[in-house]
Amino acid sequence: LLRLHRHTRANLLVMGGTRARRLAVVRAIHQGSPLAGEPLVALDCTKDEPRLARTLQRWLLVSSTPCADENELKEPIGVLYLDSIADLSPATQRLLLMLAHRLQGQQSDTRTPGPARLMAGDRTDLIRAAEAGRVSGALIDHLDKIRVELGQRRSRGAA
């Protein structure tokens, strides 16, 4: 997987497993990518949604002013990894979708405020969650360019 996608900046979706396993996959892919020299910022959407929403709003306004608000993410950010995205409110999902749209049309040598790549993860099957209307299907479509599905590890001694 790492060798196949090491030269791409495509969005990544990681489903299943534990938060620690999802983050380990994201870090490994980031380290082998063209953006490896840029910061990877990981957020837990269950705890950091207000901060994420404020930052997304500023990025979408294409504000070139540096962040002065301590409640926003600090730049620069090469890759933004969002864990537990199924927990985001519909309003924040819409903001994230707007950012994903903008990144999709952006040339690799052009940078606007915000990350150059999005990675997202969740313990649940996000495709089914989108089909059930719990998560924006359009957002999942934008994030699901490279998909990693992690199974549950068996505990030692389990048959």
Side-chain angles (χ1 to χ4, degrees):
L1 181 70
L2 294 175
R3 275 186 247 118
L4 284 173
H5 301 295
R6 69 176 178 244
H7 297 297
T8 185
R9 292 169 67 155
N11 294 336
L12 173 76
L13 191 60
V14 183
M15 295 185 292
T18 64
R19 180 172 289 140
R21 284 184 65 208
R22 290 188 299 272
L23 185 55
V25 167
V26 164
R27 284 187 174 136
I29 290 174
H30 174 65
Q31 289 170 354
S33 80
L35 296 169
E38 296 189 40
L40 165 69
V41 174
L43 290 180
D44 177 354
C45 293
T46 58
K47 299 175 185 173
D48 293 324
E49 182 172 359
R51 186 172 154 209
L52 173 63
R54 280 190 295 277
T55 304
L56 288 169
Q57 288 170 344
R58 184 175 56 81
W59 286 341
L60 292 167
L61 291 174
V62 191
S63 170
S64 59
T65 57
C67 172
D69 186 343
E70 64 196 35
N71 295 316
E72 291 182 17
L73 300 175
K74 306 299 184 235
E75 293 193 49
I77 296 175
V79 176
L80 179 61
Y81 171 63
L82 302 171
D83 196 74
S84 301
I85 63 165
D87 294 336
L88 290 175
S89 69
T92 303
Q93 288 182 39
R94 279 190 298 276
L95 291 171
L96 188 55
L97 176 59
M98 291 168 63
L99 178 66
H101 273 290
R102 188 176 80 192
L103 291 176
Q104 183 178 16
Q106 184 172 288
Q107 299 296 322
S108 62
D109 58 347
T110 305
R111 286 299 297 269
T112 56
R117 183 181 195 183
L118 294 172
M119 296 185 180
D122 204 278
R123 68 191 171 285
T124 61
D125 182 334
L126 293 166
I127 308 305
R128 286 192 183 150
E131 289 169 353
R134 294 189 312 268
V135 179
S136 164
L139 176 60
I140 298 306
D141 285 345
H142 273 283
L143 296 173
D144 191 16
K145 302 307 177 202
I146 301 171
R147 184 187 307 176
V148 178
E149 294 183 29
L150 303 173
Q152 299 297 327
R153 283 195 173 166
R154 293 184 188 190
S155 60
R156 290 186 182 194

